[in-house]
Amino acid sequence: MALEHAILVSLDERSGSGYELARRFEKSIGFFWAATHQQIYRTLKRMVELGWVTGHEVAQDGRPDKKVYEVADAGRAELARWLASPGEPETIRHDLSVKVRGASLGDPAALVDEVARHRDLHAERLDVYLAVEKKDFPDPSALSGRRLHQHLVLRGGIRAERALVEWCDEVLVALREDDRR
Amino acid sequence: MALEHAILVSLDERSGSGYELARRFEKSIGFFWAATHQQIYRTLKRMVELGWVTGHEVAQDGRPDKKVYEVADAGRAELARWLASPGEPETIRHDLSVKVRGASLGDPAALVDEVARHRDLHAERLDVYLAVEKKDFPDPSALSGRRLHQHLVLRGGIRAERALVEWCDEVLVALREDDRR
DNA sequence: GTCCGCATGTAACTTGTTACATGATTTA
DNA sequence: TAAATCATGTAACAAGTTACATGCGGAC
């Protein structure tokens, strides 16, 4: 399991509450690891029990109190252990591919629309990633340490989204061509 | 959920037993949708109850009996409905990215090894896909219908694995460069 | 005689999803 | 005054993983 580890990485970059973590999982960290607030609260609770993080309540004025979590030594040790341990490549579950493979069993035009929709969604994500890169990493060759690692992960996102956009385009051309016959 | 739908697509291409499906999910279909035999047996059971597939026992000599499943009309209708319905792009969960992002907290050399391992795994997969393409789809421009759709999905796998290999290479160069300083 | 392939399953557990619940403050 | 943001959670359910269980036939 890596949600714990994703949280540890995020908390190590900056301590924060469950709510703040949930927000990060909607962007930065969320670009490569998805999680909802329910999962995060549940997991943080377990991580406190395991001694991987410590939480303390912080009073705020004009806002509800929050619990801010920090990585404990045991958490850092667990992260180091996990980083060095071999993991399997991700198990793939790609809905859209299932749909394309089953195309003959449904309405061709509807499938084309669906692929086009995904194409646009991926193109949007790609634009977001490219904008982040331009803004936050204007001189990539000068990076080192944490900043370098963050940039490398972003590069992965850019490559993945670009590949998906190009694949959708290839599929669209082929499906439309096939329909015309 | 799309396991049902992946099974429907696979059974539509050819009827088969739970065991046979499990094998297909280790290759062809498994290239874009992972599932274990336990999931498949469980799901087939539910699909029979839903009337999406029908199963009948087939006696074999020298081998255990098997239950062969076929897609029913209700199953084909469900597939058509699902194909036309909009779906979300996949939620990403990429372990290796979490590890790269947390690189500063562990042993740099161990991470390099881990990335290199993944690079080789993805390169192997890529080779498999390219071999399948060469063997099964020697003349892609002549394809239509089912065969075209199968080829398009394979193209997606090729693009994805290629992107991953290239990303791993980029990460390796950058991490090794960073270590040297 | 031991391991591999064929063939089907149960049980226990961990993860992930969806819906619901509460309540204060700020913004439109 | 209605909606959005901040903030934390419970409960029920769906899906995925891991371990265990059984038994025949053929290959080595």
Side-chain angles (χ1 to χ4, degrees):
Chain A
M1 229 292 286
L3 176 54
E4 280 97 334
H5 303 106
I7 290 176
L8 286 172
V9 168
S10 187
L11 283 181
D12 180 76
E13 290 178 354
R14 189 183 325 189
S15 300
S17 67
Y19 187 88
E20 280 158 4
L21 280 168
R23 311 248 53 195
R24 290 183 212 170
F25 275 82
E26 279 167 15
K27 35 183 179 63
S28 66
I29 294 276
F31 293 162
F32 55 94
W33 198 275
T36 61
H37 84 268
Q38 291 87 346
Q39 271 178 280
I40 291 166
Y41 283 124
R42 187 210 264 162
T43 304
L44 278 171
K45 207 177 162 184
R46 190 167 10 125
M47 289 169 78
V48 170
E49 284 163 23
L50 288 166
W52 293 359
V53 298
T54 54
H56 51 272
E57 297 213 4
V58 174
Q60 302 183 107
D61 51 307
R63 287 182 183 183
D65 295 356
K66 61 179 178 178
K67 270 181 235 163
V68 173
Y69 295 90
E70 272 174 83
V71 181
D73 287 344
R76 251 179 297 272
E78 167 58 23
L79 239 192
R81 187 204 63 74
W82 178 74
L83 283 173
S85 73
E88 290 300 303
E90 305 309 305
T91 53
I92 300 146
R93 293 212 165 94
H94 200 235
D95 265 67
L96 196 57
S97 288
V98 178
K99 286 187 178 175
V100 171
R101 180 120 171 197
S104 336
L105 292 131
D107 174 16
L111 214 232
V112 166
D113 288 351
E114 174 72 349
V115 176
R117 242 191 70 239
H118 281 257
R119 189 236 172 255
D120 292 346
L121 285 168
H122 289 301
E124 258 177 57
R125 281 197 193 168
L126 177 57
D127 285 346
V128 170
Y129 292 176
L130 289 172
V132 171
E133 186 181 38
K134 203 172 176 181
K135 183 169 173 285
D136 292 351
F137 307 98
D139 183 8
S141 62
L143 296 170
S144 70
R146 265 188 175 68
R147 297 285 294 151
L148 171 65
H149 305 144
Q150 287 173 4
H151 182 245
L152 287 172
V153 171
L154 183 61
R155 293 293 307 160
I158 288 170
R159 286 181 184 277
E161 295 301 331
R162 190 171 278 147
L164 282 165
V165 171
E166 286 170 4
W167 177 67
C168 286
D169 284 338
E170 182 181 357
V171 172
L172 286 171
V173 168
L175 288 182
R176 283 174 178 146
E177 174 70 20
D178 196 44
D179 279 0
R180 226 171 294 133
R181 292 190 241 176
Chain B
M1 229 293 287
L3 176 54
E4 281 95 335
H5 304 105
I7 290 177
L8 287 171
V9 167
S10 187
L11 283 180
D12 180 76
E13 290 179 354
R14 188 183 325 188
S15 299
S17 66
Y19 187 87
E20 282 158 5
L21 281 168
R23 312 247 51 193
R24 290 183 211 170
F25 275 83
E26 279 168 14
K27 34 184 180 62
S28 66
I29 294 276
F31 293 164
F32 54 95
W33 198 276
T36 61
H37 84 267
Q38 292 86 348
Q39 270 178 281
I40 291 165
Y41 283 123
R42 187 209 267 158
T43 304
L44 279 171
K45 206 176 163 186
R46 191 167 8 127
M47 289 169 78
V48 169
E49 284 164 22
L50 288 165
W52 293 359
V53 297
T54 54
H56 51 272
E57 298 214 5
V58 174
Q60 302 184 108
D61 50 307
R63 286 181 185 184
D65 296 357
K66 61 178 177 180
K67 270 180 235 165
V68 172
Y69 295 91
E70 271 173 84
V71 180
D73 287 345
R76 252 178 296 272
E78 167 58 23
L79 239 193
R81 187 204 62 74
W82 179 73
L83 283 173
S85 73
E88 290 301 304
E90 306 309 303
T91 53
I92 300 147
R93 294 210 166 98
H94 199 237
D95 265 68
L96 196 57
S97 288
V98 178
K99 286 187 179 176
V100 171
R101 179 117 172 200
S104 337
L105 293 130
D107 174 16
L111 214 232
V112 165
D113 288 350
E114 174 73 349
V115 176
R117 241 191 72 238
H118 280 259
R119 190 235 171 253
D120 292 346
L121 286 168
H122 289 302
E124 259 177 56
R125 281 197 193 167
L126 177 57
D127 285 346
V128 169
Y129 293 175
L130 289 172
V132 171
E133 187 181 39
K134 203 171 177 181
K135 181 170 174 285
D136 292 351
F137 306 98
D139 184 9
S141 63
L143 297 169
S144 71
R146 265 187 176 67
R147 298 284 295 151
L148 171 65
H149 305 144
Q150 287 173 3
H151 182 244
L152 287 171
V153 171
L154 183 61
R155 292 293 307 161
I158 289 169
R159 285 181 184 278
E161 296 300 332
R162 191 171 277 148
L164 283 165
V165 171
E166 286 169 5
W167 178 67
C168 286
D169 283 337
E170 182 180 358
V171 172
L172 286 171
V173 168
L175 289 183
R176 284 173 178 148
E177 174 70 21
D178 197 44
D179 279 0
R180 226 172 293 133
R181 291 190 242 175

